[in-house]
Amino acid sequence: MHPTVRRLGHSLTRSIDGTLFGIVLALLALGLMVLVSASNLNAARVTGQLANMLIALGVLWLFANIPPHYLMRLAAPLYVLGVLLLIAVALFGDVVHGARRWLDLGVTRIQPSEFMKIAVPLALAWYFDRHEKTLRLGNYAVAVVMLVIPVALIARQPDLGTAVLITAGGFFVLFLAGLSWRIIAGLAIAGAAVLPLVWSALRDYQRQRILTLIDPTQDPLGTGYHTIQSMIAVGSGGWFGKGWLNGTQTHLDFIPERTTDFVFAVFAEEFGLLGCLVLLGLYLAAISRGMLITASAPTMFARLLSGAITLTFFTYAFVNMGMVSGILPVVGLPLPLISYGGTALVSICLGFGILMSINSHKKLVQT
């Protein structure tokens, strides 16, 4: 290979973590294969997802090459911008299927809540890093307020799934920043105490989702339909599945939202328990790599941010598989790197790009 070409290739890939990138590519390939079946060989949807993947990988490469200290400088402005965009959504956002989540900018529409999946842990990590040497209980209280503001705005849209993810990401930053178990236990008890108030504040359809989790058969053709059909698909896959393109629940149109939120039901039906173990293995490998990067992060900012990104990715996968399997209520979260869609795919790859940046720039920080 010509030395110039070799140098160019090295400069383009020096910030890419080969192990993590390989896992991401494997998951994307699995997702594309499942989408072919779930979409009934819809060429437009498959090519659209290919375009989404290319954009997401471009974002991953871009953020892998941005040093963490630049991200730290942008943390506060990005958080403020995100909150302002959420307020704009509440005031002027477009209503789609009864939810006000989108902001029309004229040229395109954006969903600011997706942006906050990264902006919130980024801002919290910046805040704790800034007060690392003088951390007190009051700092944790301020961080909780910083978390509650965007979560409340997103829950009001309503977008319970994204609100859960951002809450999880914020909690992981608080936990990694040293929040004591006694305070966590106290918060859990307080949370349990206000559950009746939360229940009264939920929309009717959100209450119905929780009741459906307890007994989906009470409305098998209505609110329980998604859960019942997905559980049938997951169970019918058996050990080795029915084979690619041979899922009856999928191709007889029993599984709703089968290319997005319920794509795991398609995967489980066609590839069975063995395929699910492979998928779980890839997810665990990505999470393990992320935690290794977190453990070796050179600064508090990098450690908190990488830990939050990794554990939020775990939450993403766990909640989606849980709701498809019937052990969690349906909250409308896609299966990371597998489900069809561009916005979530870009936000996940952006997070992985930050992980790679933290890993590749740690030597520069240490020296």
Side-chain angles (χ1 to χ4, degrees), residues 3-13:
T4 304
V5 176
R6 189 184 297 112
R7 284 195 298 271
L8 178 61
H10 176 71
S11 64
L12 290 174
T13 60

Side-chain angles (χ1 to χ4, degrees), residues 71-94:
L71 293 173
M72 189 160 61
R73 293 176 189 173
L74 295 172
L78 288 177
Y79 174 83
V80 173
L81 174 63
V83 171
L84 291 176
L85 287 174
L86 290 175
I87 293 172
V89 168
L91 296 176
F92 316 110
D94 292 344

Side-chain angles (χ1 to χ4, degrees), residues 23-187:
I23 296 168
V24 170
L25 288 181
L27 286 167
L28 289 175
L30 273 181
L32 196 63
M33 185 168 66
V34 177
L35 179 63
V36 171
S37 179
S39 65
N40 287 321
L41 306 176
N42 186 320
R45 180 147 285 209
V46 174
T47 54
Q49 184 69 348
L50 272 172
N52 292 334
M53 289 178 180
L54 291 175
I55 294 170
L57 290 174
V59 169
L60 182 151
W61 177 85
L62 176 64
F63 276 83
N65 285 278
I66 298 177
H69 63 272
Y70 286 134
L71 293 173
M72 189 160 61
R73 293 176 189 173
L74 295 172
L78 288 177
Y79 174 83
V80 173
L81 174 63
V83 171
L84 291 176
L85 287 174
L86 290 175
I87 293 172
V89 168
L91 296 176
F92 316 110
D94 292 344
V95 178
V96 179
H97 301 304
R100 192 184 297 273
R101 302 175 184 173
W102 298 88
L103 191 62
D104 193 342
L105 300 180
V107 180
T108 186
R109 287 195 315 171
I110 62 171
Q111 189 175 356
S113 58
E114 287 290 333
F115 166 76
M116 296 304 284
K117 290 177 184 177
I118 295 295
V120 169
L122 187 68
L124 292 176
W126 162 81
Y127 176 76
F128 280 115
D129 183 86
R130 192 177 177 192
H131 296 88
E132 179 180 5
K133 296 181 179 179
T134 58
L135 271 181
R136 296 184 178 88
L137 187 60
N139 297 119
Y140 292 100
V142 171
V144 169
V145 173
M146 291 174 63
L147 173 62
V148 167
I149 290 172
V151 167
L153 289 168
I154 292 168
R156 185 178 178 275
Q157 293 178 355
D159 188 354
L160 186 58
T162 302
V164 166
L165 274 184
I166 294 175
T167 301
F171 170 77
F172 293 139
V173 174
L174 291 167
F175 175 72
L176 293 171
L179 187 64
S180 73
W181 282 106
R182 285 185 298 176
I183 296 177
I184 293 173
L187 290 173

Side-chain angles (χ1 to χ4, degrees), residues 236-244 246-247 267-275:
S236 66
W239 285 95
F240 304 105
K242 298 176 181 177
W244 186 49
N246 292 323
F267 184 91
E269 183 183 26
E270 297 191 351
F271 297 99
L273 178 62
L274 183 62

Side-chain angles (χ1 to χ4, degrees), residues 159-240:
D159 188 354
L160 186 58
T162 302
V164 166
L165 274 184
I166 294 175
T167 301
F171 170 77
F172 293 139
V173 174
L174 291 167
F175 175 72
L176 293 171
L179 187 64
S180 73
W181 282 106
R182 285 185 298 176
I183 296 177
I184 293 173
L187 290 173
I189 294 171
V194 300
L195 279 179
L197 296 177
V198 173
W199 178 263
S200 64
L202 291 175
R203 303 286 181 93
D204 289 340
Y205 78 92
Q206 291 171 330
R207 294 179 196 164
Q208 193 59 49
R209 283 180 176 178
I210 297 172
L211 293 174
T212 299
L213 172 66
I214 299 172
D215 182 16
T217 60
Q218 65 177 332
D219 189 9
L221 298 179
T223 55
Y225 183 80
H226 289 64
T227 302
I228 292 171
Q229 296 303 324
S230 64
M231 289 172 65
I232 291 172
V234 170
S236 66
W239 285 95
F240 304 105

